[in-house]
């Protein structure tokens, strides 16, 4: 009997789906400013995006100050084979747990609450130099404008 290595796709080390790399422009630290569309109250915060070891998930940590205090959260964005979409699971310090669908294409960032096409979510655009994202979160009955500026 000889020792041989058999090519078996089931034994190959998995690699992240290439669709994840479309989110690379988000990596870094961002300062966010904005205002509530109903009350006009200002809000602000800080977001940080980094790749989890292995590259299968982009992790976002955020801290947001708004009229009701400070909220902290974490979000894991990965490729979901069943839907062939970039999906995330979000959790925050107020007990929320949400699922989002992400798409970054040609400098336009869309984040839908739940599935693509949902009436709730974020639409925004990167500046030409990639240092700013301007847009708005909207949902039936509310939302806020937001500008994120890359600081690191």
């Amino acid at each position: 009997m000889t020792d041989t290595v058999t090519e078996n796709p089931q034994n190959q080390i998995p690699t992240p789906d290439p669709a994840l790399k479309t989110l690379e422009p988000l990596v870094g630290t961002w300062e966010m400013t904005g205002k509530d569309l109903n009350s006009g109250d200002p809000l602000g915060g800080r977001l940080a995006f980094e790749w989890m070891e292995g590259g299968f998930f982009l992790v976002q940590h955020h801290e947001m100050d708004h009229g009701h205090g400070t909220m902290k959260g974490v979000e894991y964005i990965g490729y979901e084979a069943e839907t062939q979409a970039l999906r995330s699971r979000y959790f925050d310090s107020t007990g929320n747990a949400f699922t989002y669908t992400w798409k970054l294409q040609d400098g336009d960032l869309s984040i839908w609450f739940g599935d693509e096409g949902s009436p709730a979510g974020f639409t925004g655009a990167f500046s030409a130099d990639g240092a700013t994202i301007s847009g708005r979160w909207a949902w039936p009955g509310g939302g806020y404008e937001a500008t994120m500026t890359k600081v690191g």
Side-chain angles (χ1 to χ4, degrees), residues 109-113 120-125 133-138 146 148:
L109 177 61
S110 299
I111 308 167
W112 295 277
F113 181 78
F122 178 83
T123 55
I133 306 168
S134 298
R136 74 171 37 180
W137 279 95
M148 280 85 54

Side-chain angles (χ1 to χ4, degrees), residues 96-121:
N96 291 311
F98 300 130
T99 299
Y100 293 99
T101 300
W102 289 66
K103 185 183 278 185
L104 177 53
Q105 186 173 351
D106 300 326
D108 293 325
L109 177 61
S110 299
I111 308 167
W112 295 277
F113 181 78
D115 295 323
E116 184 172 342
S118 166

Side-chain angles (χ1 to χ4, degrees), residues 39-114:
S39 68
D41 290 342
L43 44 95
R46 188 172 186 93
L47 303 95
F49 291 88
E50 65 182 352
W51 291 109
M52 178 184 274
E53 187 173 335
F56 288 92
F57 297 95
L58 183 63
V59 182
Q60 176 195 176
H61 293 273
H62 82 82
E63 185 171 319
M64 184 189 295
D65 297 314
H66 52 82
H68 308 290
T70 301
M71 178 178 57
K72 294 181 180 182
V74 64
E75 187 167 10
Y76 294 86
I77 309 161
Y79 180 76
E80 189 176 80
E82 304 87 63
T83 61
Q84 297 183 348
L86 297 173
R87 300 279 287 204
S88 71
R89 304 301 185 262
Y90 168 86
F91 309 93
D92 69 30
S93 59
T94 63
N96 291 311
F98 300 130
T99 299
Y100 293 99
T101 300
W102 289 66
K103 185 183 278 185
L104 177 53
Q105 186 173 351
D106 300 326
D108 293 325
L109 177 61
S110 299
I111 308 167
W112 295 277
F113 181 78

